[in-house]
Amino acid sequence: MILVLDFGSQYTQLIARRLRESGIYAEIVPFFESIENIQKKAPKGLILSGGPASVYAKDAYKPNGKIFDLNVPILGICYGMQYLVDFFGGVVAYANEQEFGKAVLEITQDSVIFEGVKIKSLVWMSHMDKVIELPKGFTTLAKSPNSPHCAIENGKIFGLQFHPEVIQSEEGGKILENFALLVCGCEKTWGMQHFAQREMARLKEKIANAKVLCAVSGGVDSTVVATLLHRAIKDNLIAIFVDHGLLRKNEKERVQAMFKDLQIPLNTIDAKEIFLSKLKGVSEPELKRKIIGETFIEVFEKEAKKHHLKGKIEFLAQGTLYPDVIESVSVKGPSKVIKTHHNVGGLPEWMDFKLIEPLRELFKDEVRLLGKELGVSQDFLMRHPFPGPGLAIRILGEVSESKIKRLQEADFIFIEELKKANLYDKVWQAFCVLLNVSSVGVMGDNRTYENAICLRAVNASDGMTASFSFLEHSFLEKVSNRITNEVSGINRVVYDITSKPPGTIEWE
């Protein structure tokens, strides 16, 4: 593997993702990771990420200098390069002319790391400091208009002032590949077929004949977890699906049909009445979320207890992903509070389970690839994100059964039309919001005073930021006509053109 030491860059996860996409396994650890732990992982090479600090600052992040005694190749990126220069006696200083965004990289010296790379290419810069003087033994490999030492080398130690991990760096993927394959001697052995085989064998050995409880939300992560576990332990998996009545149209039937196709027994709990009764009269968004989370635990606990009494359950499975693991340890030190996973929340004391997290090494796109490897339908795997509280946070104000039905119908029409127009896969997330607003309309020469639906469609890569989708007016007109004609109680349709920030993707 390649081990990435994180110094706080917003791009650190992209380093690991780029390498994995090339078939090279990579892990991320904080910059202060102990030498003992690094040695246990036995990496073929180290990458020092970028970071927001200045290497000459009093509180600058610096790893244990013994990493240079490990005798493995090292690549420093941005701050990582500046750390290498500072450590070996060079000079890094505040730059009068700083570089942010695209710049032209010009290779001035042949090197194995630039094997097959164009002499001139666009790269992504994000730095306020620059290298003024190289340490002894280092050679300049490339320059940019404002960085005379844009890439450097000293034997098996390399530095890049730009960010090869972002897609804006044209040759970035090739450069990272060259470091891993040609410098470190890695092989392209990482892939979902290999992961699935290895993980199923590991789960089978760890679980043996015990029972595993898995909460299924109908989302991609929990479905892939359940599928992987069932392949490994068959009927020792107890999958529980709680229908809180806040799902999309036909969602329960679709999940049940999919699990039947996958030949995985599914325990479906119809808890619609419980959830709706507790949400009655509640309009504040955070309170709605809290009630749904607590009620889920209550229903899940009651069902789990039935199975627990029938036969000892030893394990609880969760769909924790690698970004969750990374975020639980910041570059400033171990986080005091680990985030609560939405599908299980806090567990009662009698649930003294051992935790199983089969996806904790994977990114979201890798989970989809694993699901495909396991036979989960592509149509399901590529579905847009859906919030844990469901339609409750897409209904402004109080939730009721009639409002849910109205929203389900409108949302179904919107998604159906997106698929018909081949737009669904081009949009990151799309849905309808039922506004707590009534307006005057005219239908069949009669005055109406009914509700409004808002269409929301955004483009994003990870949901942290998002821009609204530029859907054609003719398409929006078609959707609007269908909703107002086919959904009772809706006489107006609007389109949300707010990006994130300042807005959020969901309305509540």
Side-chain angles (χ1 to χ4, degrees):
M1 73 158 83
I2 296 293
L3 200 61
V4 182
L5 272 59
D6 180 20
F7 290 85
S9 169
Q10 60 182 315
Y11 304 131
T12 300
Q13 289 191 29
L14 295 179
I15 302 172
R17 290 184 69 165
R18 271 294 183 98
L19 288 167
R20 289 185 182 192
E21 286 166 4
S22 297
I24 302 150
Y25 184 62
E27 278 189 18
I28 300 170
V29 295
F31 73 89
F32 52 78
E33 189 80 354
S34 71
I35 291 298
E36 292 75 21
N37 284 348
I38 292 175
Q39 286 175 320
K40 283 178 187 176
K41 292 179 180 291
K44 287 274 196 176
L46 300 177
I47 294 180
L48 314 183
S49 83
S54 293
V55 74
Y56 49 78
K58 185 179 179 181
D59 57 351
Y61 299 148
K62 296 185 179 180
N64 190 318
K66 291 183 180 178
I67 61 172
F68 299 105
D69 298 331
L70 297 174
N71 196 32
V72 297
I74 295 176
L75 170 63
I77 295 173
C78 197
Y79 178 89
M81 168 178 156
Q82 293 167 6
Y83 165 74
L84 293 174
V85 170
D86 181 76
F87 181 85
F88 286 105
V91 179
V92 177
Y94 185 78
N96 292 325
E97 294 181 333
Q98 297 156 7
E99 287 180 305
F100 296 98
K102 292 180 180 178
V104 176
L105 176 76
E106 183 179 352
I107 299 171
T108 56
Q109 179 72 38
D110 288 340
S111 171
V112 64
I113 204 168
F114 289 139
E115 182 85 21
V117 174
K118 294 186 294 186
I119 298 294
K120 287 187 177 182
S121 64
L122 287 178
V123 294
W124 189 259
M125 295 285 195
S126 182
H127 63 103
M128 293 187 295
D129 300 328
K130 72 176 180 180
V131 175
I132 304 299
E133 183 181 326
L134 288 182
K136 289 182 180 178
F138 279 79
T139 303
T140 298
L141 302 177
K143 64 181 181 179
S144 72
N146 291 327
S147 294
H149 308 292
C150 204
I152 60 174
E153 176 184 354
N154 182 6
K156 290 184 178 181
I157 297 176
F158 297 83
L160 303 173
Q161 184 59 74
F162 59 94
H163 288 273
E165 66 272 27
V166 302
I167 58 173
Q168 289 88 348
S169 292
E170 291 178 327
E171 300 275 18
K174 179 65 176 172
I175 293 168
L176 288 173
E177 253 194 44
N178 285 345
F179 174 72
L181 300 177
L182 305 182
V183 179
C184 301
C186 293
E187 296 179 3
K188 292 190 174 188
T189 57
W190 172 253
M192 285 306 104
Q193 184 179 16
H194 169 264
F195 174 86
Q197 292 171 349
R198 186 199 73 183
E199 193 62 19
M200 282 191 283
R202 188 187 72 82
L203 289 168
K204 202 169 185 177
E205 182 181 356
K206 182 174 182 177
I207 296 166
N209 294 317
K211 300 283 186 182
V212 179
L213 192 67
C214 180
V216 174
S217 67
V220 172
D221 301 338
S222 62
T223 299
V224 173
V225 166
T227 307
L228 184 66
L229 280 164
H230 190 255
R231 295 285 192 279
I233 62 173
K234 301 298 180 186
D235 293 338
N236 281 336
L237 169 70
I238 301 170
I240 298 176
F241 175 48
V242 177
D243 176 12
H244 49 30
L246 301 163
L247 302 170
R248 289 168 286 200
K249 183 180 179 179
N250 302 330
E251 183 91 353
K252 181 175 76 172
E253 294 77 12
R254 186 177 185 184
V255 171
Q256 289 174 324
M258 181 179 60
F259 271 71
K260 187 177 180 179
D261 288 343
L262 292 168
Q263 299 182 331
I264 303 174
L266 183 66
N267 299 276
T268 302
I269 312 303
D270 186 349
K272 180 171 66 176
E273 289 185 14
I274 300 171
F275 279 88
L276 292 185
S277 65
K278 292 198 174 187
L279 288 169
K280 190 173 182 179
V282 178
S283 59
E284 207 279 318
E286 282 306 306
L287 186 55
K288 284 197 280 189
R289 287 176 177 271
K290 186 177 179 182
I291 289 170
I292 292 166
E294 289 175 349
T295 307
F296 182 91
I297 294 167
E298 179 186 316
V299 173
F300 183 72
E301 175 187 355
K302 185 178 179 181
E303 184 64 20
K305 208 163 192 174
K306 293 179 189 175
H307 295 279
H308 190 67
L309 293 172
K310 291 177 185 176
K312 178 73 173 170
I313 300 172
E314 291 187 25
F315 297 93
L316 176 73
Q318 286 187 176
T320 307
L321 304 190
Y322 196 42
D324 299 324
V325 177
I326 297 167
E327 287 164 10
S328 71
V329 181
S330 71
V331 295
K332 294 181 181 178
S335 299
K336 295 281 174 70
V337 180
I338 305 298
K339 64 188 278 192
T340 302
H341 295 282
H342 78 275
N343 57 339
V344 291
L347 294 171
E349 288 183 7
W350 71 265
M351 284 189 182
D352 185 22
F353 296 148
K354 299 169 189 172
L355 195 59
I356 285 184
E357 299 171 310
L359 310 183
R360 64 181 285 115
E361 294 180 9
L362 305 183
F363 290 104
K364 186 73 174 187
D365 51 341
E366 292 174 323
V367 173
R368 288 192 168 105
L369 291 172
L370 175 60
K372 186 178 179 181
E373 183 70 32
L374 295 171
V376 181
S377 72
Q378 185 73 2
D379 179 55
F380 176 83
L381 290 171
M382 298 312 294
R383 287 198 312 169
H384 292 176
F386 188 66
L391 299 181
I393 60 170
R394 292 178 179 174
I395 296 172
L396 302 193
E398 185 180 357
V399 176
S400 69
E401 196 164 355
S402 61
K403 289 180 181 177
I404 293 169
K405 176 69 173 173
R406 202 169 291 160
L407 179 57
Q408 285 176 332
E409 294 298 330
D411 190 75
F412 185 84
I413 290 170
F414 187 26
I415 299 304
E416 186 177 59
E417 290 299 331
L418 283 168
K419 290 180 177 178
K420 283 182 183 177
N422 294 318
L423 293 171
Y424 184 80
D425 292 332
K426 296 176 183 177
V427 172
W428 193 75
Q429 188 174 4
F431 55 91
C432 287
V433 180
L434 183 65
L435 305 183
N436 192 24
V437 174
S438 294
S439 65
V440 174
V442 179
M443 289 183 169
D445 294 327
N446 292 315
R447 178 187 183 274
T448 62
Y449 189 63
E450 294 177 334
N451 220 315
I453 278 282
C454 177
L455 308 179
R456 180 75 160 141
V458 297
N459 294 328
S461 59
D462 55 14
M464 298 303 292
T465 61
S467 58
F468 72 89
S469 300
F470 286 80
L471 300 179
E472 293 288 340
H473 288 178
S474 57
F475 171 80
L476 294 173
E477 182 182 28
K478 185 176 183 181
V479 173
S480 176
N481 286 340
R482 279 200 63 189
I483 290 175
T484 52
N485 284 325
E486 298 175 31
V487 183
S488 176
I490 302 296
N491 68 355
R492 189 178 298 272
V493 177
V494 298
Y495 186 55
D496 184 353
I497 60 168
T498 312
S499 293
K500 177 186 179 181
T504 53
I505 296 175
E506 298 288 347
W507 273 49
E508 288 193 344

